[in-house]
Amino acid sequence: MLVDEELAPGAPARAYGDWRSALDFAGPGGEDAHFDSWSSTGDRPGEVDRFTADDLVAVSFLSVQIPPMAARAILDTETEALSALLRAIGPDRDLVDEPDLLAPGWPAWDLETALWALPGIGRTKATKLIARKRPWLYPIWDSVVSQVLGTVRSHLNPVREALRADEAALHHRLLSIREGAGLSDEISVLRVFDVIAWMDGKNRGFGEGLDLER
């Protein structure tokens, strides 16, 4: 897992160049930053337990599109069921503080499963949607990040365990990187981790030919 070499002192410069510009964010023109901040209503806190059209727009800044049939389900026909799962998750919180192995029956796990059931939604889109609502709790999976971390088949618990290891050393290192980059406290540890891993993987040519979306 991306722990030592890529997070060693000086590695941020290798991964991003200037952190302040690169974490504004990794996409061309800085579109990735809008994933964290996009709100057409100015009421993201009031929308924490329901998916909105803004969430579908936000994930598009991370280079995925929610297909029309799935969008209708998320915003209309399945909205109550999905909102119930979001409410069951509870407030956002650090993944590092989850003490137990995460498995079916944990509401966020079940939410990912429910999203997977929608047409054209696979692992990448599902995790990006959940990360939009619970950015501190739920890590994004994609073909690049999973290859860097060695989590192609199992991602959630390995990331959680890596963050908790050695008295949460990785979690604290990511907090330090965020501070050193001059980023807002609103940017989650998982987003910092995701961007580091994604940039490292793209620089190494990862992601080609691996597609577990459906």
Side-chain angles (χ1 to χ4, degrees), residues 93-134:
R93 54 198 181 272
D94 277 308
L95 179 61
V96 70
D97 293 330
E98 294 296 306
D100 300 320
L101 190 70
L102 306 176
W106 188 53
W109 183 297
D110 294 345
L111 178 57
E112 182 179 339
T113 301
L115 289 167
W116 270 55
L118 302 180
I121 301 293
R123 198 172 187 183
T124 298
K125 293 171 187 173
T127 58
K128 287 179 177 179
L129 283 165
I130 301 172
R132 165 75 176 175
K133 307 312 289 190
R134 299 293 189 275

CSV table of all heavy atoms in Angstrom, one decimal, residues 93-134:
chain,number,residue,atom,x,y,z
A,93,ARG,N,-17.5,11.1,9.6
A,93,ARG,CA,-16.5,10.9,10.7
A,93,ARG,C,-15.3,10.3,10.0
A,93,ARG,O,-15.4,9.7,8.9
A,93,ARG,CB,-17.0,10.0,11.8
A,93,ARG,CG,-17.6,8.7,11.3
A,93,ARG,CD,-18.4,8.1,12.3
A,93,ARG,NE,-19.0,6.8,11.9
A,93,ARG,CZ,-20.1,6.6,11.2
A,93,ARG,NH1,-20.8,7.6,10.8
A,93,ARG,NH2,-20.5,5.4,10.9
A,94,ASP,N,-14.2,10.3,10.7
A,94,ASP,CA,-12.9,9.7,10.2
A,94,ASP,C,-13.0,8.2,10.1
A,94,ASP,O,-13.3,7.5,11.1
A,94,ASP,CB,-11.7,10.1,11.0
A,94,ASP,CG,-11.2,11.5,10.7
A,94,ASP,OD1,-10.9,11.8,9.5
A,94,ASP,OD2,-11.1,12.3,11.6
A,95,LEU,N,-12.6,7.7,8.9
A,95,LEU,CA,-12.6,6.2,8.7
A,95,LEU,C,-11.6,5.6,9.7
A,95,LEU,O,-11.8,4.5,10.2
A,95,LEU,CB,-12.1,5.9,7.3
A,95,LEU,CG,-12.0,4.4,7.0
A,95,LEU,CD1,-13.3,3.7,7.1
A,95,LEU,CD2,-11.4,4.3,5.5
A,96,VAL,N,-10.6,6.3,10.1
A,96,VAL,CA,-9.6,5.8,11.0
A,96,VAL,C,-10.2,5.4,12.4
A,96,VAL,O,-9.7,4.6,13.1
A,96,VAL,CB,-8.4,6.8,11.2
A,96,VAL,CG1,-8.8,8.0,12.0
A,96,VAL,CG2,-7.2,6.1,11.9
A,97,ASP,N,-11.3,6.1,12.7
A,97,ASP,CA,-11.9,5.8,14.0
A,97,ASP,C,-12.9,4.7,14.0
A,97,ASP,O,-13.5,4.4,15.1
A,97,ASP,CB,-12.7,7.1,14.5
A,97,ASP,CG,-11.7,8.3,14.8
A,97,ASP,OD1,-10.5,8.0,15.2
A,97,ASP,OD2,-12.1,9.4,14.6
A,98,GLU,N,-13.1,4.0,12.9
A,98,GLU,CA,-14.0,2.9,12.9
A,98,GLU,C,-13.2,1.7,13.4
A,98,GLU,O,-12.3,1.2,12.8
A,98,GLU,CB,-14.5,2.6,11.4
A,98,GLU,CG,-15.3,3.7,10.9
A,98,GLU,CD,-16.7,3.8,11.6
A,98,GLU,OE1,-17.4,2.8,11.8
A,98,GLU,OE2,-17.0,4.9,12.1
A,99,PRO,N,-13.6,1.1,14.6
A,99,PRO,CA,-12.8,0.1,15.2
A,99,PRO,C,-12.9,-1.3,14.7
A,99,PRO,O,-12.0,-2.1,14.9
A,99,PRO,CB,-13.2,0.2,16.7
A,99,PRO,CG,-14.7,0.6,16.6
A,99,PRO,CD,-14.7,1.6,15.4
A,100,ASP,N,-14.0,-1.6,14.1
A,100,ASP,CA,-14.4,-2.9,13.7
A,100,ASP,C,-14.3,-3.1,12.2
A,100,ASP,O,-14.4,-2.2,11.4
A,100,ASP,CB,-15.8,-3.3,14.2
A,100,ASP,CG,-15.9,-3.2,15.7
A,100,ASP,OD1,-15.0,-3.6,16.4
A,100,ASP,OD2,-17.0,-2.7,16.1
A,101,LEU,N,-14.1,-4.4,11.8
A,101,LEU,CA,-14.1,-4.8,10.4
A,101,LEU,C,-15.4,-4.4,9.8
A,101,LEU,O,-16.5,-4.6,10.3
A,101,LEU,CB,-13.8,-6.3,10.2
A,101,LEU,CG,-13.6,-6.8,8.8
A,101,LEU,CD1,-12.2,-6.3,8.3
A,101,LEU,CD2,-13.7,-8.3,8.8
A,102,LEU,N,-15.4,-3.8,8.6
A,102,LEU,CA,-16.6,-3.3,7.9
A,102,LEU,C,-17.1,-4.4,7.0
A,102,LEU,O,-16.3,-5.0,6.2
A,102,LEU,CB,-16.3,-2.0,7.2
A,102,LEU,CG,-15.7,-0.9,8.1
A,102,LEU,CD1,-15.3,0.3,7.2
A,102,LEU,CD2,-16.6,-0.5,9.2
A,103,ALA,N,-18.4,-4.6,7.0
A,103,ALA,CA,-18.9,-5.8,6.3
A,103,ALA,C,-20.4,-5.5,6.0
A,103,ALA,O,-20.9,-4.5,6.4
A,103,ALA,CB,-18.8,-7.0,7.2
A,104,PRO,N,-21.0,-6.4,5.2
A,104,PRO,CA,-22.4,-6.2,4.9
A,104,PRO,C,-23.2,-6.0,6.2
A,104,PRO,O,-23.0,-6.7,7.2
A,104,PRO,CB,-22.8,-7.5,4.1
A,104,PRO,CG,-21.5,-7.9,3.5
A,104,PRO,CD,-20.4,-7.5,4.4
A,105,GLY,N,-24.2,-5.1,6.2
A,105,GLY,CA,-24.9,-4.8,7.4
A,105,GLY,C,-24.5,-3.4,7.9
A,105,GLY,O,-25.2,-2.7,8.6
A,106,TRP,N,-23.2,-3.0,7.6
A,106,TRP,CA,-22.8,-1.6,7.9
A,106,TRP,C,-23.5,-0.7,6.8
A,106,TRP,O,-23.4,-1.0,5.6
A,106,TRP,CB,-21.3,-1.5,7.8
A,106,TRP,CG,-20.7,-0.2,8.2
A,106,TRP,CD1,-20.9,0.4,9.4
A,106,TRP,CD2,-19.8,0.6,7.4
A,106,TRP,NE1,-20.2,1.6,9.4
A,106,TRP,CE2,-19.5,1.8,8.3
A,106,TRP,CE3,-19.2,0.5,6.2
A,106,TRP,CZ2,-18.7,2.8,7.8
A,106,TRP,CZ3,-18.4,1.5,5.8
A,106,TRP,CH2,-18.1,2.7,6.6
A,107,PRO,N,-24.2,0.3,7.2
A,107,PRO,CA,-25.1,1.0,6.3
A,107,PRO,C,-24.3,1.6,5.0
A,107,PRO,O,-24.9,1.6,3.9
A,107,PRO,CB,-25.6,2.2,7.1
A,107,PRO,CG,-25.7,1.6,8.5
A,107,PRO,CD,-24.4,0.8,8.6
A,108,ALA,N,-23.1,2.0,5.2
A,108,ALA,CA,-22.4,2.6,4.1
A,108,ALA,C,-22.0,1.4,3.1
A,108,ALA,O,-22.0,1.6,1.9
A,108,ALA,CB,-21.1,3.3,4.5
A,109,TRP,N,-21.7,0.3,3.6
A,109,TRP,CA,-21.5,-0.9,2.7
A,109,TRP,C,-22.7,-1.2,2.0
A,109,TRP,O,-22.7,-1.5,0.7
A,109,TRP,CB,-21.0,-2.1,3.6
A,109,TRP,CG,-20.7,-3.3,2.9
A,109,TRP,CD1,-21.5,-4.1,2.1
A,109,TRP,CD2,-19.4,-4.0,2.9
A,109,TRP,NE1,-20.8,-5.2,1.6
A,109,TRP,CE2,-19.5,-5.1,2.0
A,109,TRP,CE3,-18.2,-3.7,3.5
A,109,TRP,CZ2,-18.4,-6.0,1.8
A,109,TRP,CZ3,-17.1,-4.6,3.3
A,109,TRP,CH2,-17.3,-5.7,2.4
A,110,ASP,N,-23.8,-1.2,2.7
A,110,ASP,CA,-25.1,-1.6,2.0
A,110,ASP,C,-25.5,-0.5,1.0
A,110,ASP,O,-26.2,-0.8,0.0
A,110,ASP,CB,-26.2,-1.7,3.1
A,110,ASP,CG,-26.0,-3.0,4.0
A,110,ASP,OD1,-25.1,-3.8,3.6
A,110,ASP,OD2,-26.6,-3.0,5.0
A,111,LEU,N,-25.1,0.8,1.3
A,111,LEU,CA,-25.4,1.8,0.3
A,111,LEU,C,-24.6,1.6,-1.0
A,111,LEU,O,-25.2,1.8,-2.1
A,111,LEU,CB,-25.1,3.2,0.9
A,111,LEU,CG,-25.3,4.4,0.0
A,111,LEU,CD1,-26.7,4.5,-0.5
A,111,LEU,CD2,-24.9,5.7,0.7
A,112,GLU,N,-23.4,1.2,-0.9
A,112,GLU,CA,-22.6,0.9,-2.1
A,112,GLU,C,-23.3,-0.2,-2.8
A,112,GLU,O,-23.4,-0.2,-4.1
A,112,GLU,CB,-21.2,0.6,-1.7
A,112,GLU,CG,-20.3,0.3,-3.0
A,112,GLU,CD,-18.9,0.0,-2.7
A,112,GLU,OE1,-18.4,0.3,-1.7
A,112,GLU,OE2,-18.3,-0.6,-3.6
A,113,THR,N,-23.7,-1.2,-2.1
A,113,THR,CA,-24.4,-2.4,-2.8
A,113,THR,C,-25.6,-1.9,-3.5
A,113,THR,O,-25.9,-2.3,-4.6
A,113,THR,CB,-24.7,-3.5,-1.8
A,113,THR,OG1,-23.5,-3.9,-1.1
A,113,THR,CG2,-25.4,-4.6,-2.4
A,114,ALA,N,-26.4,-1.0,-2.9
A,114,ALA,CA,-27.7,-0.5,-3.5
A,114,ALA,C,-27.4,0.3,-4.7
A,114,ALA,O,-28.1,0.2,-5.7
A,114,ALA,CB,-28.4,0.3,-2.4
A,115,LEU,N,-26.3,1.1,-4.7
A,115,LEU,CA,-25.9,1.9,-5.8
A,115,LEU,C,-25.5,1.0,-7.0
A,115,LEU,O,-25.8,1.3,-8.2
A,115,LEU,CB,-24.9,2.9,-5.5
A,115,LEU,CG,-25.4,4.1,-4.6
A,115,LEU,CD1,-24.2,4.9,-4.0
A,115,LEU,CD2,-26.3,5.0,-5.4
A,116,TRP,N,-24.7,-0.1,-6.6
A,116,TRP,CA,-24.3,-1.0,-7.7
A,116,TRP,C,-25.4,-1.6,-8.4
A,116,TRP,O,-25.3,-2.0,-9.6
A,116,TRP,CB,-23.5,-2.1,-7.0
A,116,TRP,CG,-22.0,-1.9,-6.9
A,116,TRP,CD1,-21.4,-0.8,-6.3
A,116,TRP,CD2,-20.9,-2.7,-7.4
A,116,TRP,NE1,-20.0,-0.9,-6.4
A,116,TRP,CE2,-19.7,-2.1,-7.0
A,116,TRP,CE3,-20.9,-3.9,-8.1
A,116,TRP,CZ2,-18.5,-2.6,-7.4
A,116,TRP,CZ3,-19.7,-4.5,-8.4
A,116,TRP,CH2,-18.5,-3.8,-8.0
A,117,ALA,N,-26.6,-1.7,-7.8
A,117,ALA,CA,-27.7,-2.4,-8.4
A,117,ALA,C,-28.4,-1.5,-9.5
A,117,ALA,O,-29.2,-2.0,-10.3
A,117,ALA,CB,-28.8,-2.7,-7.3
A,118,LEU,N,-28.0,-0.2,-9.5
A,118,LEU,CA,-28.6,0.7,-10.5
A,118,LEU,C,-27.9,0.5,-11.9
A,118,LEU,O,-26.7,0.2,-11.9
A,118,LEU,CB,-28.5,2.1,-10.0
A,118,LEU,CG,-29.1,2.4,-8.7
A,118,LEU,CD1,-28.9,3.9,-8.3
A,118,LEU,CD2,-30.6,2.0,-8.7
A,119,PRO,N,-28.6,0.7,-13.0
A,119,PRO,CA,-28.0,0.5,-14.3
A,119,PRO,C,-26.9,1.5,-14.6
A,119,PRO,O,-27.0,2.7,-14.4
A,119,PRO,CB,-29.2,0.7,-15.2
A,119,PRO,CG,-30.2,1.5,-14.4
A,119,PRO,CD,-30.0,1.1,-13.0
A,120,GLY,N,-25.8,0.9,-15.0
A,120,GLY,CA,-24.6,1.7,-15.3
A,120,GLY,C,-23.8,2.2,-14.2
A,120,GLY,O,-22.9,3.0,-14.4
A,121,ILE,N,-24.1,1.7,-13.0
A,121,ILE,CA,-23.3,2.2,-11.8
A,121,ILE,C,-22.4,1.0,-11.4
A,121,ILE,O,-22.9,-0.1,-11.1
A,121,ILE,CB,-24.2,2.6,-10.6
A,121,ILE,CG1,-25.1,3.8,-11.0
A,121,ILE,CG2,-23.3,3.0,-9.4
A,121,ILE,CD1,-24.4,5.0,-11.3
A,122,GLY,N,-21.1,1.2,-11.3
A,122,GLY,CA,-20.2,0.2,-10.8
A,122,GLY,C,-19.5,0.8,-9.6
A,122,GLY,O,-19.9,1.7,-9.0
A,123,ARG,N,-18.4,0.2,-9.3
A,123,ARG,CA,-17.7,0.4,-8.1
A,123,ARG,C,-17.1,1.9,-8.0
A,123,ARG,O,-17.2,2.6,-7.0
A,123,ARG,CB,-16.5,-0.5,-7.9
A,123,ARG,CG,-15.9,-0.6,-6.5
A,123,ARG,CD,-14.9,-1.8,-6.5
A,123,ARG,NE,-14.5,-2.0,-5.1
A,123,ARG,CZ,-13.6,-2.9,-4.8
A,123,ARG,NH1,-13.0,-3.7,-5.8
A,123,ARG,NH2,-13.2,-3.1,-3.6
A,124,THR,N,-16.6,2.4,-9.1
A,124,THR,CA,-16.0,3.7,-9.1
A,124,THR,C,-17.1,4.8,-8.9
A,124,THR,O,-17.0,5.6,-8.0
A,124,THR,CB,-15.3,4.0,-10.5
A,124,THR,OG1,-14.2,3.1,-10.6
A,124,THR,CG2,-14.8,5.4,-10.5
A,125,LYS,N,-18.2,4.7,-9.7
A,125,LYS,CA,-19.3,5.7,-9.5
A,125,LYS,C,-19.9,5.6,-8.2
A,125,LYS,O,-20.2,6.6,-7.5
A,125,LYS,CB,-20.3,5.5,-10.6
A,125,LYS,CG,-19.7,5.8,-12.0
A,125,LYS,CD,-20.7,5.4,-13.1
A,125,LYS,CE,-20.0,5.6,-14.5
A,125,LYS,NZ,-20.8,5.1,-15.6
A,126,ALA,N,-20.1,4.4,-7.7
A,126,ALA,CA,-20.8,4.2,-6.4
A,126,ALA,C,-20.0,4.8,-5.3
A,126,ALA,O,-20.5,5.5,-4.4
A,126,ALA,CB,-21.0,2.7,-6.1
A,127,THR,N,-18.7,4.5,-5.2
A,127,THR,CA,-17.8,5.1,-4.2
A,127,THR,C,-17.6,6.6,-4.3
A,127,THR,O,-17.5,7.3,-3.2
A,127,THR,CB,-16.4,4.4,-4.1
A,127,THR,OG1,-15.8,4.5,-5.4
A,127,THR,CG2,-16.6,2.9,-3.8
A,128,LYS,N,-17.6,7.1,-5.5
A,128,LYS,CA,-17.5,8.6,-5.6
A,128,LYS,C,-18.8,9.2,-5.1
A,128,LYS,O,-18.7,10.3,-4.5
A,128,LYS,CB,-17.2,8.9,-7.1
A,128,LYS,CG,-15.8,8.6,-7.5
A,128,LYS,CD,-15.5,9.0,-8.9
A,128,LYS,CE,-14.0,8.7,-9.2
A,128,LYS,NZ,-13.6,9.0,-10.6
A,129,LEU,N,-19.9,8.6,-5.4
A,129,LEU,CA,-21.2,9.2,-4.9
A,129,LEU,C,-21.2,9.2,-3.3
A,129,LEU,O,-21.6,10.2,-2.7
A,129,LEU,CB,-22.4,8.4,-5.4
A,129,LEU,CG,-22.8,8.7,-6.9
A,129,LEU,CD1,-23.7,7.6,-7.4
A,129,LEU,CD2,-23.4,10.1,-7.0
A,130,ILE,N,-20.8,8.1,-2.7
A,130,ILE,CA,-20.8,8.0,-1.3
A,130,ILE,C,-19.8,8.9,-0.7
A,130,ILE,O,-20.0,9.6,0.3
A,130,ILE,CB,-20.6,6.5,-0.8
A,130,ILE,CG1,-21.6,5.6,-1.3
A,130,ILE,CG2,-20.6,6.5,0.7
A,130,ILE,CD1,-21.4,4.1,-1.1
A,131,ALA,N,-18.6,9.0,-1.3
A,131,ALA,CA,-17.6,9.9,-0.8
A,131,ALA,C,-18.0,11.4,-0.9
A,131,ALA,O,-17.6,12.2,-0.1
A,131,ALA,CB,-16.3,9.7,-1.6
A,132,ARG,N,-18.9,11.7,-1.8
A,132,ARG,CA,-19.4,13.0,-1.9
A,132,ARG,C,-20.3,13.4,-0.7
A,132,ARG,O,-20.3,14.5,-0.2
A,132,ARG,CB,-20.2,13.2,-3.2
A,132,ARG,CG,-21.2,14.3,-3.3
A,132,ARG,CD,-20.5,15.6,-3.6
A,132,ARG,NE,-21.5,16.7,-3.7
A,132,ARG,CZ,-21.2,18.0,-3.9
A,132,ARG,NH1,-20.0,18.4,-3.9
A,132,ARG,NH2,-22.2,18.8,-4.0
A,133,LYS,N,-21.0,12.4,-0.1
A,133,LYS,CA,-21.8,12.6,1.0
A,133,LYS,C,-21.1,12.4,2.3
A,133,LYS,O,-21.4,13.0,3.4
A,133,LYS,CB,-23.0,11.6,1.0
A,133,LYS,CG,-23.9,11.7,-0.3
A,133,LYS,CD,-24.2,13.1,-0.8
A,133,LYS,CE,-25.2,13.8,0.1
A,133,LYS,NZ,-25.7,15.0,-0.6
A,134,ARG,N,-20.1,11.5,2.4
A,134,ARG,CA,-19.4,11.2,3.6
A,134,ARG,C,-17.9,11.2,3.2
A,134,ARG,O,-17.2,10.1,3.2
A,134,ARG,CB,-19.8,9.8,4.2
A,134,ARG,CG,-21.2,9.7,4.6
A,134,ARG,CD,-21.6,10.6,5.8
A,134,ARG,NE,-22.9,10.4,6.3
A,134,ARG,CZ,-24.0,10.9,5.8
A,134,ARG,NH1,-24.0,11.8,4.8
A,134,ARG,NH2,-25.2,10.6,6.4
